[in-house]
Amino acid sequence: MTVTSPEFVAGLAADASAASISGFVAAAVIRHGGRVLLVRRSPDDYMGGLWEVPSGTVEAGETILDALHRETNEETGLTISHVTGYIGHFDYENSRGGTTRQFNFAVAVVKTEPIVLTEHDAHQWALPGDLPEVSDAVRELLTS
């Protein structure tokens, strides 16, 4: 079963629901030239100033993969050409006090520039061994 199959994606959602996870986020790990694309949360946002991989909420009626494509494009202006793998998930407390599960996918993009930010205040291509201020979960995701 491939990571883009409806059965695989439905299984991810079912496992999260069974664990009483209230929110789903899809995240794109985009690598280029040995570096990974990071975007910085605006200072006035929840977890402001923290760097993260492009990600966003899975909306009602949307699959995790639909959200992955939409959010990557909305947040960076980049278009995913294909998903190359599932890297795993982590859970965190969201701004409403519930638990969100972030599903992380390795993706390839049609082209790596220009980056057009709509929700973040900066971006950078970072070496996994030299990351800026990221959460422990993102650091583990990118360095393991």
Side-chain angles (χ1 to χ4, degrees), residues 69-130:
H69 286 264
R70 178 184 53 75
E71 286 286 350
T72 300
N73 186 260
E74 285 178 4
E75 291 192 356
T76 66
L78 301 178
T79 300
I80 294 174
S81 60
H82 59 283
V83 176
T84 59
Y86 177 65
I87 310 173
H89 70 266
F90 57 82
D91 299 339
Y92 63 92
E93 186 176 323
N94 61 41
S95 62
R96 297 168 307 287
T99 302
T100 293
R101 177 159 294 174
Q102 180 168 311
F103 301 97
N104 302 285
F105 294 86
V107 304
V109 292
V110 174
K111 56 184 181 174
T112 55
E113 55 186 37
I115 306 289
V116 179
L117 300 177
T118 57
E119 299 176 23
H120 297 84
D121 67 356
H123 78 278
Q124 68 172 286
W125 292 95
L127 290 168
D130 187 25

Side-chain angles (χ1 to χ4, degrees), residues 2-141:
T2 68
V3 299
T4 57
S5 75
E7 297 81 13
F8 179 82
V9 176
L12 293 176
D15 290 347
S17 294
S20 299
I21 303 297
S22 59
F24 296 179
V25 164
V29 177
I30 305 166
R31 296 181 187 272
H32 178 67
R35 297 174 186 264
V36 63
L37 179 63
L38 297 175
V39 291
R40 187 174 63 198
R41 298 182 75 88
S42 298
D44 57 346
D45 200 2
Y46 179 66
M47 297 188 293
L50 200 62
W51 291 85
E52 61 187 2
V53 294
S55 59
T57 302
V58 179
E59 303 292 347
E62 203 175 36
T63 69
I64 295 168
L65 290 178
D66 290 341
L68 177 70
H69 286 264
R70 178 184 53 75
E71 286 286 350
T72 300
N73 186 260
E74 285 178 4
E75 291 192 356
T76 66
L78 301 178
T79 300
I80 294 174
S81 60
H82 59 283
V83 176
T84 59
Y86 177 65
I87 310 173
H89 70 266
F90 57 82
D91 299 339
Y92 63 92
E93 186 176 323
N94 61 41
S95 62
R96 297 168 307 287
T99 302
T100 293
R101 177 159 294 174
Q102 180 168 311
F103 301 97
N104 302 285
F105 294 86
V107 304
V109 292
V110 174
K111 56 184 181 174
T112 55
E113 55 186 37
I115 306 289
V116 179
L117 300 177
T118 57
E119 299 176 23
H120 297 84
D121 67 356
H123 78 278
Q124 68 172 286
W125 292 95
L127 290 168
D130 187 25
L131 297 173
E133 186 182 348
V134 296
S135 68
D136 291 342
V138 168
R139 184 172 306 280
E140 185 174 329
L141 172 76

